Coordinates of all heavy atoms in Angstrom, one line a residue:
M39 N 0.6 -29.6 -5.8 CA 1.8 -30.4 -5.7 C 1.7 -31.3 -4.4 O 1.1 -30.9 -3.4 CB 3.0 -29.5 -5.5 CG 4.3 -30.2 -5.2 SD 5.7 -29.1 -5.2 CE 6.1 -29.0 -6.9
R40 N 2.1 -32.6 -4.6 CA 2.0 -33.5 -3.4 C 3.4 -33.6 -2.8 O 4.4 -33.9 -3.4 CB 1.6 -34.9 -3.9 CG 1.3 -35.8 -2.8 CD 0.2 -36.8 -3.1 NE -1.1 -36.1 -3.3 CZ -2.0 -36.5 -4.2 NH1 -1.8 -37.5 -5.0 NH2 -3.2 -35.9 -4.4
S41 N 3.4 -33.2 -1.5 CA 4.6 -33.3 -0.7 C 5.0 -34.8 -0.5 O 4.2 -35.7 -0.5 CB 4.4 -32.7 0.7 OG 4.1 -31.3 0.5
C42 N 6.3 -35.0 -0.3 CA 6.8 -36.3 0.2 C 6.4 -36.5 1.6 O 5.8 -35.6 2.3 CB 8.3 -36.4 0.0 SG 8.8 -36.5 -1.7
I43 N 6.6 -37.6 2.1 CA 6.3 -37.9 3.6 C 7.6 -38.5 4.2 O 8.4 -39.1 3.5 CB 5.1 -38.9 3.8 CG1 5.3 -40.1 2.8 CG2 3.8 -38.3 3.6 CD1 4.2 -41.2 3.1
M50 N 11.4 -31.7 4.5 CA 10.9 -31.2 3.2 C 11.9 -30.2 2.5 O 12.1 -30.1 1.4 CB 9.5 -30.6 3.3 CG 8.4 -31.4 3.8 SD 7.9 -32.8 2.8 CE 9.1 -34.1 3.1
E52 N 15.0 -30.4 2.7 CA 16.0 -31.2 2.1 C 15.4 -31.9 0.8 O 16.2 -32.0 -0.2 CB 16.5 -32.3 3.1 CG 17.6 -33.3 2.5 CD 19.0 -32.7 2.3 OE1 19.1 -31.4 2.1 OE2 19.9 -33.4 2.2
T53 N 14.2 -32.3 0.8 CA 13.6 -32.8 -0.4 C 13.5 -31.8 -1.5 O 13.9 -32.1 -2.6 CB 12.2 -33.4 -0.1 OG1 12.4 -34.7 0.7 CG2 11.4 -33.7 -1.3
I54 N 13.1 -30.6 -1.1 CA 12.9 -29.5 -2.1 C 14.3 -29.2 -2.7 O 14.4 -28.9 -3.9 CB 12.3 -28.3 -1.4 CG1 10.8 -28.5 -1.1 CG2 12.5 -27.0 -2.3 CD1 10.2 -27.5 -0.2
H55 N 15.4 -29.3 -1.9 CA 16.7 -28.9 -2.4 C 17.5 -30.0 -3.0 O 18.5 -29.8 -3.8 CB 17.5 -28.1 -1.4 CG 17.0 -26.7 -1.3 ND1 15.9 -26.3 -0.6 CD2 17.4 -25.6 -1.9 CE1 15.6 -25.1 -0.8 NE2 16.6 -24.5 -1.6
T56 N 17.2 -31.3 -2.7 CA 18.0 -32.4 -3.2 C 17.1 -33.1 -4.4 O 17.7 -33.9 -5.1 CB 18.3 -33.4 -2.2 OG1 17.1 -34.0 -1.7 CG2 19.2 -32.9 -1.1
G57 N 15.9 -32.9 -4.4 CA 15.1 -33.7 -5.4 C 14.9 -35.2 -5.0 O 14.5 -36.0 -5.8
L58 N 15.2 -35.5 -3.8 CA 15.1 -36.8 -3.2 C 14.0 -37.0 -2.2 O 13.7 -36.1 -1.4 CB 16.4 -37.3 -2.6 CG 17.6 -37.4 -3.5 CD1 18.9 -37.5 -2.7 CD2 17.5 -38.5 -4.5
A59 N 13.3 -38.2 -2.2 CA 12.4 -38.6 -1.1 C 13.2 -38.7 0.2 O 14.3 -39.0 0.2 CB 11.7 -39.9 -1.5
P60 N 12.5 -38.4 1.3 CA 13.2 -38.5 2.6 C 13.9 -39.8 2.9 O 15.0 -39.8 3.4 CB 12.0 -38.2 3.6 CG 11.1 -37.3 2.8 CD 11.1 -37.8 1.4
V61 N 13.3 -40.9 2.5 CA 13.9 -42.2 2.7 C 15.2 -42.3 1.9 O 16.0 -43.1 2.2 CB 12.9 -43.4 2.4 CG1 11.8 -43.4 3.4 CG2 12.4 -43.3 0.9
E62 N 15.3 -41.4 0.8 CA 16.5 -41.5 0.0 C 17.6 -40.5 0.6 O 18.8 -40.8 0.6 CB 16.2 -41.1 -1.4 CG 15.4 -42.2 -2.1 CD 14.8 -41.8 -3.4 OE1 14.5 -40.5 -3.6 OE2 14.7 -42.6 -4.3
H63 N 17.2 -39.3 1.0 CA 18.2 -38.3 1.5 C 18.6 -38.6 2.9 O 19.6 -38.1 3.4 CB 17.8 -36.9 1.2 CG 16.6 -36.4 1.9 ND1 16.4 -36.3 3.2 CD2 15.4 -35.8 1.3 CE1 15.2 -35.7 3.5 NE2 14.6 -35.4 2.3
I79 N 20.7 -28.2 -4.6 CA 20.7 -27.0 -5.4 C 21.9 -26.1 -5.2 O 22.6 -25.7 -6.1 CB 19.4 -26.1 -5.3 CG1 18.2 -26.9 -5.8 CG2 19.5 -24.7 -5.8 CD1 16.8 -26.2 -5.5
R230 N -0.3 -33.1 2.9 CA 0.5 -33.3 1.7 C 0.3 -32.4 0.5 O 1.2 -32.2 -0.3 CB 0.3 -34.8 1.2 CG 0.9 -35.8 2.1 CD 1.0 -37.2 1.5 NE 2.1 -37.3 0.6 CZ 2.5 -38.4 0.1 NH1 1.9 -39.5 0.3 NH2 3.5 -38.5 -0.8
L249 N 1.7 -32.3 -9.3 CA 3.2 -32.3 -9.3 C 3.7 -33.1 -8.1 O 3.2 -33.2 -7.1 CB 3.7 -30.9 -9.4 CG 3.1 -30.0 -10.5 CD1 3.7 -28.6 -10.3 CD2 3.4 -30.5 -11.8
D250 N 5.0 -33.6 -8.4 CA 5.8 -34.2 -7.4 C 6.8 -33.2 -6.8 O 7.5 -32.6 -7.6 CB 6.5 -35.4 -8.1 CG 7.2 -36.3 -7.1 OD1 7.9 -35.8 -6.2 OD2 7.2 -37.6 -7.3
Q251 N 6.8 -33.2 -5.5 CA 7.7 -32.2 -4.9 C 9.2 -32.4 -5.2 O 10.0 -31.5 -5.2 CB 7.5 -32.3 -3.4 CG 8.2 -31.3 -2.5 CD 7.9 -31.5 -1.0 OE1 7.8 -32.6 -0.6 NE2 7.6 -30.4 -0.3
R252 N 9.5 -33.7 -5.5 CA 10.9 -33.9 -5.9 C 11.4 -33.2 -7.2 O 12.6 -33.2 -7.5 CB 11.2 -35.5 -6.0 CG 10.9 -36.2 -4.7 CD 11.0 -37.7 -5.0 NE 9.9 -38.1 -5.9 CZ 9.9 -39.3 -6.4 NH1 10.8 -40.2 -6.1 NH2 8.9 -39.6 -7.2
A253 N 10.4 -32.7 -7.9 CA 10.7 -32.1 -9.2 C 11.2 -30.6 -9.0 O 11.6 -30.0 -10.0 CB 9.6 -32.2 -10.2
I254 N 11.0 -30.1 -7.8 CA 11.5 -28.6 -7.6 C 12.9 -28.4 -7.9 O 13.3 -27.4 -8.7 CB 11.0 -28.1 -6.2 CG1 9.5 -28.2 -6.0 CG2 11.6 -26.7 -6.0 CD1 9.1 -27.8 -4.6
A255 N 13.7 -29.2 -7.4 CA 15.2 -29.0 -7.5 C 15.7 -29.0 -8.9 O 16.3 -28.0 -9.4 CB 16.0 -30.0 -6.6
P256 N 15.3 -30.0 -9.7 CA 15.7 -30.0 -11.1 C 15.1 -28.8 -11.9 O 15.7 -28.3 -12.8 CB 15.3 -31.4 -11.6 CG 14.4 -32.0 -10.6 CD 14.7 -31.4 -9.4
T257 N 13.9 -28.5 -11.5 CA 13.3 -27.3 -12.2 C 14.0 -26.0 -11.9 O 14.3 -25.3 -12.9 CB 11.8 -27.1 -11.6 OG1 11.1 -28.4 -11.9 CG2 11.1 -26.0 -12.3
I258 N 14.4 -25.8 -10.7 CA 15.2 -24.6 -10.4 C 16.5 -24.6 -11.1 O 16.9 -23.6 -11.8 CB 15.5 -24.5 -8.9 CG1 14.2 -24.4 -8.0 CG2 16.5 -23.3 -8.5 CD1 13.5 -23.1 -8.0
I266 N 22.0 -30.8 -14.0 CA 21.3 -31.4 -13.0 C 22.0 -32.7 -12.5 O 22.2 -33.5 -13.3 CB 19.8 -31.8 -13.5 CG1 19.1 -30.5 -13.9 CG2 19.0 -32.6 -12.5 CD1 17.8 -30.7 -14.7
S269 N 21.5 -37.7 -9.3 CA 20.6 -38.1 -8.2 C 19.2 -37.5 -8.3 O 18.2 -38.0 -7.7 CB 21.2 -37.8 -6.9 OG 21.6 -36.4 -6.8
M270 N 19.1 -36.4 -9.1 CA 17.7 -35.7 -9.2 C 17.1 -36.4 -10.4 O 17.4 -36.0 -11.6 CB 17.9 -34.3 -9.4 CG 18.5 -33.5 -8.2 SD 18.7 -31.7 -8.4 CE 19.6 -31.3 -7.0
T271 N 16.2 -37.3 -10.2 CA 15.7 -38.1 -11.3 C 14.4 -37.6 -11.9 O 13.9 -38.0 -13.0 CB 15.4 -39.6 -10.9 OG1 14.6 -39.6 -9.7 CG2 16.8 -40.2 -10.5
Q272 N 13.7 -36.7 -11.3 CA 12.5 -36.1 -11.8 C 12.7 -35.1 -12.9 O 13.8 -34.4 -12.9 CB 11.7 -35.4 -10.7 CG 11.2 -36.2 -9.5 CD 10.0 -37.1 -9.9 OE1 9.1 -36.6 -10.5 NE2 10.1 -38.4 -9.7
L273 N 11.9 -35.1 -13.9 CA 12.0 -34.1 -15.0 C 11.6 -32.7 -14.5 O 10.7 -32.6 -13.6 CB 11.1 -34.5 -16.2 CG 11.5 -35.7 -16.9 CD1 10.4 -36.1 -17.9 CD2 12.8 -35.6 -17.6
P274 N 12.3 -31.7 -15.0 CA 11.8 -30.3 -14.6 C 10.4 -30.0 -15.0 O 9.8 -30.6 -16.0 CB 12.7 -29.4 -15.5 CG 14.0 -30.3 -15.8 CD 13.5 -31.7 -15.9
I275 N 9.7 -29.3 -14.1 CA 8.2 -29.1 -14.3 C 8.0 -28.1 -15.4 O 7.0 -28.3 -16.2 CB 7.7 -28.4 -13.0 CG1 7.9 -29.4 -11.8 CG2 6.2 -28.0 -13.1 CD1 7.7 -28.8 -10.4

Side-chain angles (χ1 to χ4, degrees):
M39 176 174 277
R40 188 148 295 146
S41 299
C42 287
I43 48 175
M50 303 293 82
E52 179 73 338
T53 288
I54 288 169
H55 280 84
T56 62
L58 293 169
V61 292
E62 296 168 323
H63 64 59
I79 290 176
R230 289 193 80 169
L249 304 178
D250 187 316
Q251 191 177 38
R252 296 174 298 170
I254 295 177
T257 300
I258 298 283
I266 297 170
S269 52
M270 298 180 186
T271 57
Q272 296 285 310
L273 291 174
I275 296 162

